[in-house]
Amino acid sequence: MKVVRLIFLILHLGIFLLLVGMLLNAYVPPKVFPWFNLLSLGFPILISAYILLTIFWIFSWKKRGIVFLLLGLLFFNSVTRWINYSSVKSETPDLKIVSFNAKNGGFGVKNIESYINSQNADIVLFQEYGGNKKYHFEGLKEGPESPIITMFSKYRIIDHKQLIESDYEYNNAYATQTDIEIKGKTYRIINMYLQPFKFEKKMVKLDGNSEEDKQKVKDVVKRLIPTFKMHQEQIAVIRKSVENSPYPVILAGDFNSVPNSYEYYHLVDGLKDAFVEAGKGSATSFHDYKFPIRIDYVFTSESIQPLSYKVDRSVKLSDHYPVLTTFKLER
């Protein structure tokens, strides 16, 4: 039993160090050391193993259980970015936003139109909407056309600017900033779609063949590392728009990045994660793999209060679930 406990202790310490490495994404950019960003992808597994081993030590009446429990508090905020239970807010919302990666409308434009019309949203932000597809929503007008992302709004658009534009060869990302007037005040809406990893299920599914699986892992890493570095460049452009905005900001879209990643830390800087503020349950929004993956987000300036955040799992109109958020705006 002593040998087993020693193995568990070494394993527990190893997992703790990996989780600490993940926290360094707040400071270390991918172009300097991309491997910390890889750790963020495995956070659900790492934290689950850490919690189970902590429970094992506590039930074994070992003092180290208390030590690991206290050290685990370092990762509390990291957990709430995946799973959260906020109290219900009683205020009446001023704004409702739907953000949705529509997978190029492949599940049916009419189905998407019917769903969006049922939501009575004030603003709808699409990613991968299918540039050649036309959507018609009740009471919403489409903003300036873009090939990958688009926006529909009940409110008047004052200004619009492309921040990142895809070249379809090297760069497949896109981001826009749109200034809109809501009840006499101007807000900046940034709709973004960071560089995708372009994975297919067969590329990440391990078959038990050691040589083939090893090659698959190598191929995955070869795609991940360059994409992390591209994200760093794309984030710099978006951060400039946020920091220079004279108006309160709502930043939303498909970040193609998980919580606790370099992308997350540097995009949320100075903003609030609407899920952390008002979400309940799991924030997992990408459902094509049997693994918890949150890559869709809504961030806001401090002056905008998130009242609710819902990942709507009642519909499957894409490989992403729609994200529904409501807000109380500044007076």
Side-chain angles (χ1 to χ4, degrees):
M1 191 62 181
K2 287 184 178 180
V3 175
V4 173
R5 285 177 176 169
L6 178 61
I7 293 172
F8 279 3
L9 178 59
I10 294 172
L11 178 63
H12 208 168
L13 289 170
I15 292 171
F16 173 76
L17 291 175
L18 291 175
L19 288 169
V20 169
M22 178 204 68
L23 296 180
L24 293 178
N25 282 317
Y27 312 100
V28 183
K31 287 187 177 182
V32 174
F33 192 77
W35 302 100
F36 289 142
N37 225 19
L38 280 173
L39 295 175
S40 65
L41 297 173
F43 177 75
I45 294 174
L46 291 173
I47 196 64
S48 296
Y50 186 92
I51 292 171
L52 288 173
L53 286 168
T54 301
I55 293 172
F56 170 79
W57 295 125
I58 291 174
F59 278 89
S60 297
W61 295 97
K62 296 293 182 180
K63 292 180 181 178
R64 68 193 64 161
I66 303 300
V67 173
F68 279 116
L69 181 64
L70 294 175
L71 290 174
L73 295 177
L74 289 171
F75 315 116
F76 178 79
N77 288 337
S78 299
V79 171
T80 60
R81 296 167 190 149
W82 289 86
I83 300 175
N84 192 32
Y85 291 94
S86 299
S87 58
V88 177
K89 296 177 173 60
S90 58
E91 293 93 333
T92 302
D94 298 316
L95 182 70
K96 181 176 183 179
I97 294 178
V98 175
S99 180
F100 181 42
N101 181 314
K103 198 175 174 60
N104 295 310
F107 286 60
V109 169
K110 292 298 181 184
N111 293 331
I112 294 173
E113 287 178 338
S114 177
Y115 174 77
I116 295 296
N117 285 330
S118 72
Q119 294 305 312
N120 192 29
D122 299 297
I123 296 173
V124 176
L125 303 175
F126 275 127
Q127 306 87 41
E128 286 194 281
Y129 77 103
N132 62 341
K133 294 182 171 64
K134 296 296 181 182
Y135 297 86
H136 302 280
F137 303 120
E138 297 170 3
L140 297 174
K141 292 183 179 180
E142 185 172 9
E145 290 188 5
S146 301
I148 296 177
I149 61 178
T150 192
M151 169 179 147
F152 292 81
S153 174
K154 285 183 179 179
Y155 299 103
R156 183 170 72 93
I157 293 175
I158 298 173
D159 190 29
H160 179 84
K161 179 182 178 181
Q162 293 179 357
L163 300 176
I164 301 171
E165 188 170 1
S166 171
D167 59 22
Y168 297 104
E169 292 183 10
Y170 174 71
N171 170 30
N172 292 113
Y174 217 96
T176 60
Q177 69 176 40
T178 306
D179 297 337
I180 64 174
E181 183 182 349
I182 303 176
K183 299 177 181 179
K185 290 192 175 183
T186 304
Y187 296 84
R188 175 161 295 177
I189 311 296
I190 300 177
N191 186 13
M192 56 179 286
Y193 176 73
L194 286 186
Q195 179 71 19
F197 294 101
K198 299 181 181 179
F199 287 137
E200 297 178 6
K201 285 184 180 180
K202 62 182 180 181
M203 297 169 63
V204 297
K205 184 179 181 181
L206 303 181
D207 301 317
N209 184 309
S210 59
E211 289 301 318
E212 290 183 6
D213 289 350
K214 187 185 295 185
Q215 187 59 47
K216 283 184 177 181
V217 171
K218 289 181 180 178
D219 291 341
V220 166
V221 172
K222 285 180 181 178
R223 284 177 177 261
L224 290 172
I225 300 302
T227 305
F228 290 155
K229 295 178 180 180
M230 291 178 70
H231 284 178
Q232 182 181 338
E233 296 174 359
Q234 293 160 6
I235 287 169
V237 177
I238 295 166
R239 285 301 315 170
K240 187 176 180 180
S241 174
V242 172
E243 292 166 4
N244 294 339
S245 175
Y247 316 116
V249 172
I250 296 175
L251 170 64
D254 178 356
F255 292 10
N256 278 308
S257 309
V258 296
N260 311 308
S261 61
Y262 173 87
E263 295 90 331
Y264 180 93
Y265 283 117
H266 290 266
L267 286 170
V268 81
D269 185 27
L271 302 174
K272 297 188 292 189
D273 183 339
F275 174 73
V276 174
E277 296 290 322
K280 291 184 179 181
S282 170
T284 292
S285 55
F286 181 79
H287 61 79
D288 212 26
Y289 302 154
K290 294 180 179 179
F291 190 82
I293 301 177
R294 180 193 181 195
I295 55 178
D296 300 281
Y297 303 84
V298 181
F299 296 161
T300 71
S301 293
E302 288 292 331
S303 60
I304 301 173
Q305 181 187 359
L307 297 181
S308 68
Y309 183 108
K310 178 183 178 182
V311 180
D312 193 349
R313 298 182 178 85
S314 68
V315 292
K316 285 190 177 181
L317 302 171
S318 164
D319 51 1
H320 293 241
Y321 292 119
V323 173
L324 317 177
T325 49
T326 62
F327 306 94
K328 189 75 173 178
L329 301 178
E330 61 179 351
R331 296 299 184 186

